[in-house]
Amino acid sequence: MVRDNNVDQALRALKKKMQREGVFREMKLRRAYEKPSERRAREKAEAKRRYRKLMRKRLEREGY
């Protein structure tokens, strides 16, 4: 939504929403073909990274 002809502000809001939803990341991944085996490996690595981050945050919060 553009208010008061302020296109820059509307663009900034749009980019922020797209970033949060992962649109830019998706576009980057789809630029070139990714073999199914590479996709599985990437997704597995991402899952490990997410798990490690979760454990790090939990450790920081609970202090074990």
Side-chain angles (χ1 to χ4, degrees), residues 6-55:
N6 196 346
V7 177
D8 292 333
Q9 187 177 13
L11 258 178
R12 215 172 24 245
L14 174 66
K15 284 182 181 179
K16 188 180 281 188
K17 279 186 180 182
M18 291 174 73
Q19 181 72 38
R20 257 187 264 126
E21 293 173 5
V23 175
F24 293 123
R25 191 169 179 282
E26 182 82 17
M27 284 176 11
K28 183 180 177 185
L29 286 172
R30 290 178 184 255
R31 280 188 188 141
Y33 179 74
E34 185 177 27
K35 288 172 39 179
S37 59
E38 291 173 348
R39 179 174 176 235
R40 281 192 300 271
R42 177 182 50 80
E43 288 177 350
K44 195 172 182 179
E46 288 173 356
K48 283 182 183 177
R49 208 171 300 121
R50 279 193 309 269
Y51 181 74
R52 270 193 246 119
K53 184 176 181 180
L54 176 71
M55 289 296 115

Side-chain angles (χ1 to χ4, degrees), residues 1-10:
M1 182 75 74
V2 178
R3 296 187 182 112
D4 300 326
N5 287 333
N6 196 346
V7 177
D8 292 333
Q9 187 177 13

